[in-house]
């Protein structure tokens, strides 16, 4: 098995030419014979460097509109021949096949064409055949061949060839092969997922090329990595790198705030809202959101759906928080926040998010559609003798949005588009209700005239009775219990309104 090899012949065929010139010039200086195709061949000629057309090597022209250029035994034989096998040596000598020691190839921009909204015909034409085959062949034969499948590796190869007299080591070639197989597998995954949208096969395939190491995972003894490109979604204006727990909270904050159109501020702790309010101005929304639970708000993640002006920033600045997210900021507000260097200030970009979600579980992965349904007044069916007022329906809608994004079992109290209190993550619905009442009392909120929403049905009438006695005047629940009538009767006995939606919003 060879260790170091000197590059004698190179095949270069790339879609993107940026960054290629220094590598091509170095190869020419080191006496490497260059084979190329189409636009890359012309690029090399324009540099006044010698280059041989692949057509001259194979004896066949590029045909079928460029679909077939490199798919030929003289190309693949040159790449795949094993230098240590006499049988291979004899055959390439017999058929006058040059040993190709370096392959530089990239792939047609399939993903970019899909994202740009290309037609099906345009997308199909960006499925690379020759390029992917060249990458796999060269990577398979890494014992003798260098494969460069990304322009990000050009400069590294230049440094290696310049310092090693045109040679590469086996370890270097194997490292390039690993990257190449990553390129090919990611590309094939993208193509499969494009085809798997209609009547999908029950197959789980995901490939994300960007990765960011986190300080640690959920706890310091756990390793953590984020796969994705946060720069596509946020501009970080200030602060340290986001932690694992920050990212989980930021994800929950984004999902929650997207339910609201009016100026709204939400404060989250451990993915649950501990304060949220909608008002005519973002400053008013902040003041009332914070009043809900200023204790839990300490060290929380804050999110707004309007620009943060200096007046609002001045009020927010009085609280210690981890992360603040908004679509924009007044420059003076940013300067104010920058006084504390670790505080993370994110400016959110308009990015379409996936409608699927998945996580590892047991010895596999579970995937589901995101919960994208939210029931407004039009989807609420009154099941009691008393009809809810227009104000109560509006508050029930507001509460339902919060319930959807709060850990089960949950109960939410709302009044005047403001969260008063919630009971979250409890093992019984009665416990969630009692927790919410205790929290409301702790911050001196009267529940008289407030509404209540539940993420699931009431199996017994006790929750309705307790809520009514606390001052709740209208209740929202999905319904569906075999004992629904008991809860409805209790609401009638207590003289409060109840609506059902038919949709459950568990969040585990």
């Amino acid at each position: 098995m060879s260790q170091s090899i000197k590059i004698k012949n190179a095949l270069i065929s790339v879609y993107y030419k940026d960054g290629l010139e220094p590598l091509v010039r170095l190869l020419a200086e080191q006496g490497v014979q260059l084979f190329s195709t189409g636009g890359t061949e012309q690029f090399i000629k324009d540099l006044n460097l010698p280059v041989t057309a692949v057509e001259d090597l194979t004896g066949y022209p590029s045909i079928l509109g460029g679909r077939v250029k490199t798919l030929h035994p003289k190309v693949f034989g040159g790449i795949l021949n094993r230098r240590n096998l006499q049988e291979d040596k004899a055959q390439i000598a017999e058929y006058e096949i040059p040993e190709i020691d370096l392959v530089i190839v990239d792939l047609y921009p399939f993903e970019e064409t899909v994202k740009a909204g290309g037609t099906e015909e345009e997308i199909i034409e960006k499925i690379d055949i020759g390029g992917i085959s060249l990458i796999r062949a060269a990577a398979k034969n890494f014992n003798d061949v260098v494969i460069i499948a990304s322009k990000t590796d050009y400069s590294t190869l230049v440094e290696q060839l310049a310092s090693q007299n045109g040679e590469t080591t086996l370890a270097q070639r194997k490292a390039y092969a690993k990257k190449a197989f990553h390129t090919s597998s990611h590309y094939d995954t993208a193509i499969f997922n494009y085809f798997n949208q209609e009547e999908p096969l029950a197959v789980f395939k995901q490939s994300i090329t960007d990765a960011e190491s986190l300080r640690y995972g959920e706890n310091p003894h756990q390793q953590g990595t984020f796969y994705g490109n946060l720069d596509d979604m946020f501009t970080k204006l200030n602060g340290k790198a986001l932690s694992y727990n920050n990212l989980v909270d930021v994800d929950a904050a984004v999902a929650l705030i997207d339910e609201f159109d009016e100026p709204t501020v939400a404060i989250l702790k451990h993915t649950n809202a501990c304060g949220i309010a909608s008002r005519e101005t973002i400053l008013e929304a902040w003041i009332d959101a914070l009043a809900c639970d200023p204790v839990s708000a300490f060290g929380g993640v804050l999110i707004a759906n309007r620009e943060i002006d200096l007046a609002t920033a001045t009020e927010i600045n009085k609280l210690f928080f981890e992360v603040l997210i908004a679509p924009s900021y007044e420059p003076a507000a940013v300067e104010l926040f920058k006084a504390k260097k670790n505080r993370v200030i994110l400016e959110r970009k308009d990015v379409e998010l996936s409608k699927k979600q998945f996580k590892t579980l047991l010895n596999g992965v579970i995937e589901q559609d995101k919960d994208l349904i939210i029931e407004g007044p039009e989807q609420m069916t009154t099941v009691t003798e008393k009809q809810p007022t227009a104000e109560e329906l509006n508050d029930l809608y507001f509460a339902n949005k919060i319930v959807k994004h709060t850990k089960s079992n949950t109960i939410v109290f709302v009044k005047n588009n403001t969260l008063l209190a919630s009971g979250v993550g409890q093992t019984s619905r009665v416990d969630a209700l009692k927790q919410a009442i205790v929290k409301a009392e702790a911050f001196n909120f009267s529940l008289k005239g407030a509404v209540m929403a539940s993420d699931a049905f009431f199996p017994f009438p006790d929750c309705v009775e307790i809520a009514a006695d606390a001052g709740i005047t209208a209740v929202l629940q999905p319904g569906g219990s075999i004992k629904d009538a008991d809860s409805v009767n209790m609401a009638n006995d207590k003289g409060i309104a109840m609506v059902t939606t038919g949709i459950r919003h568990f969040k585990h």
Side-chain angles (χ1 to χ4, degrees), residues 334-497:
V334 176
E335 290 306 310
L336 178 65
F337 289 134
K338 282 184 175 180
K340 296 182 180 179
K341 64 179 182 179
N342 285 333
R343 197 161 46 185
V344 180
I345 307 300
L346 299 177
E347 186 172 81
R348 186 180 173 189
K349 300 176 183 178
D350 187 14
V351 176
E352 184 177 357
L353 300 177
S354 172
K355 293 180 173 59
K356 294 281 189 179
Q357 57 188 176
F358 58 88
K359 64 179 178 180
T360 58
L361 193 72
L362 300 175
N363 62 341
V365 173
I366 53 174
E367 181 186 61
Q368 68 171 354
D369 298 331
K370 283 185 177 177
D371 185 357
L372 300 175
I373 295 174
I374 188 65
E375 312 78 56
E378 299 81 6
Q379 291 79 41
M380 297 177 190
T381 301
T382 302
V383 292
T384 49
E385 296 167 358
K386 183 179 180 182
Q387 296 284 326
T389 66
E391 291 78 9
E392 287 170 337
L393 285 173
N394 182 67
D395 278 343
L396 288 170
Y397 184 29
F398 190 93
N400 200 29
K401 294 175 181 179
I402 301 172
V403 156
K404 174 181 166 181
H405 295 277
T406 305
K407 288 284 187 181
S408 300
N409 287 318
T410 184
I411 292 290
V412 168
F413 295 146
V414 163
K415 188 174 183 180
N416 297 331
N417 286 340
T418 306
L419 173 65
L420 299 185
S422 59
V424 304
Q426 299 302 303
T427 52
S428 82
R429 200 153 301 279
V430 172
D431 285 346
L433 172 59
K434 290 179 178 178
Q435 181 193 56
I437 292 173
V438 168
K439 290 204 74 172
E441 291 173 346
F443 294 105
N444 298 315
F445 286 116
S446 170
L447 295 180
K448 187 176 181 179
V451 304
M452 178 178 82
S454 171
D455 61 330
F457 61 64
F458 300 116
F460 305 102
D462 47 5
C463 281
V464 179
E465 181 178 16
I466 295 169
D469 290 344
I472 296 298
T473 57
V475 176
L476 175 145
Q477 57 133 331
S481 169
I482 59 173
K483 295 185 177 181
D484 271 350
D486 292 346
S487 294
V488 173
N489 290 336
M490 178 60 69
N492 285 330
D493 290 345
K494 293 292 184 177
I496 67 173

Side-chain angles (χ1 to χ4, degrees), residues 267-270 272-276 286-302 318-322 420 438-445:
I267 306 168
L268 287 88
K269 204 69 172 290
H270 304 303
N272 295 306
C274 58
I276 182 166
W286 163 252
I287 292 171
D288 289 341
L290 179 62
C292 173
D293 185 351
V295 175
S296 296
F298 184 86
V301 170
L302 322 178
K318 297 174 182 178
L319 176 76
F320 168 75
F321 62 89
E322 288 278 345
L420 299 185
V438 168
K439 290 204 74 172
E441 291 173 346
F443 294 105
N444 298 315
F445 286 116

Side-chain angles (χ1 to χ4, degrees), residues 79-384:
I79 296 171
L80 285 166
N81 76 90
R82 292 154 291 188
R83 275 57 161 176
N84 63 331
L85 287 185
Q86 290 302 317
E87 299 93 326
D88 286 10
K89 285 186 175 182
Q91 285 191 321
I92 66 168
E94 178 184 356
Y95 296 110
E96 299 181 337
I97 300 174
E99 291 181 343
I100 297 175
D101 314 297
L102 168 64
V103 176
I104 304 174
V105 180
D106 63 10
L107 299 169
Y108 292 156
F110 177 84
E111 287 182 280
E112 293 84 347
T113 305
V114 172
K115 288 178 182 177
T119 65
E120 183 172 78
E121 182 179 359
E122 291 170 335
I123 291 169
I124 297 304
E125 285 306 309
K126 290 299 184 290
I127 298 177
D128 208 313
I129 303 301
I132 204 80
S133 301
L134 290 168
I135 287 173
R136 290 178 63 83
K140 176 178 180 176
N141 204 24
F142 67 86
N143 278 328
D144 302 301
V145 180
V146 179
I147 172 62
I148 301 296
S150 170
K151 61 185 179 183
T152 59
D153 289 325
Y154 291 171
S155 60
T156 302
L157 183 61
V158 166
E159 292 173 6
Q160 291 169 347
L161 296 181
S163 63
Q164 297 167 189
N165 193 31
E167 295 184 347
T168 60
T169 67
L170 178 60
Q172 289 167 347
R173 296 192 297 278
K174 192 170 185 178
Y176 285 129
K178 178 174 66 175
K179 290 184 177 182
F181 281 124
H182 161 62
T183 296
S184 65
S185 65
H186 176 80
Y187 195 75
D188 284 339
T189 297
I191 294 170
F192 170 78
N193 285 336
Y194 171 77
F195 278 92
N196 202 42
Q197 297 177 77
E198 297 180 11
E199 299 181 9
L201 300 175
V203 175
F204 181 82
K205 290 182 186 290
Q206 291 290 331
S207 178
I208 301 174
T209 57
D210 297 301
E212 179 181 339
S213 293
L214 305 174
R215 294 195 301 277
Y216 50 80
E218 207 161 7
N219 298 290
H221 63 276
Q222 296 169 267
Q223 234 178 356
T225 305
F226 173 73
Y227 294 97
N229 189 345
L230 287 174
D231 291 339
D232 287 345
M233 187 159 183
F234 303 107
T235 298
K236 189 167 76 170
L237 304 178
N238 188 67
K240 59 186 178 181
L242 290 168
S243 69
Y244 180 99
N245 291 332
N246 287 158
L247 288 168
V248 174
D249 282 329
V250 167
D251 176 71
V254 166
L256 174 60
I257 204 70
D258 283 351
E259 299 284 0
F260 299 89
D261 296 322
E262 56 277 14
T264 303
V265 173
I267 306 168
L268 287 88
K269 204 69 172 290
H270 304 303
T271 75
N272 295 306
C274 58
I276 182 166
S278 295
R279 293 293 182 267
E280 291 186 2
T281 70
I282 210 70
L283 175 57
E284 292 171 317
W286 163 252
I287 292 171
D288 289 341
L290 179 62
C292 173
D293 185 351
V295 175
S296 296
F298 184 86
V301 170
L302 322 178
I303 190 164
N305 62 0
R306 294 292 193 279
E307 180 175 83
I308 300 296
D309 54 28
L310 180 58
T312 306
T314 301
E315 292 300 315
I316 293 174
N317 198 48
K318 297 174 182 178
L319 176 76
F320 168 75
F321 62 89
E322 288 278 345
V323 183
L324 171 61
I325 311 159
S328 61
Y329 300 82
E330 284 187 356
V334 176
E335 290 306 310
L336 178 65
F337 289 134
K338 282 184 175 180
K340 296 182 180 179
K341 64 179 182 179
N342 285 333
R343 197 161 46 185
V344 180
I345 307 300
L346 299 177
E347 186 172 81
R348 186 180 173 189
K349 300 176 183 178
D350 187 14
V351 176
E352 184 177 357
L353 300 177
S354 172
K355 293 180 173 59
K356 294 281 189 179
Q357 57 188 176
F358 58 88
K359 64 179 178 180
T360 58
L361 193 72
L362 300 175
N363 62 341
V365 173
I366 53 174
E367 181 186 61
Q368 68 171 354
D369 298 331
K370 283 185 177 177
D371 185 357
L372 300 175
I373 295 174
I374 188 65
E375 312 78 56
E378 299 81 6
Q379 291 79 41
M380 297 177 190
T381 301
T382 302
V383 292
T384 49

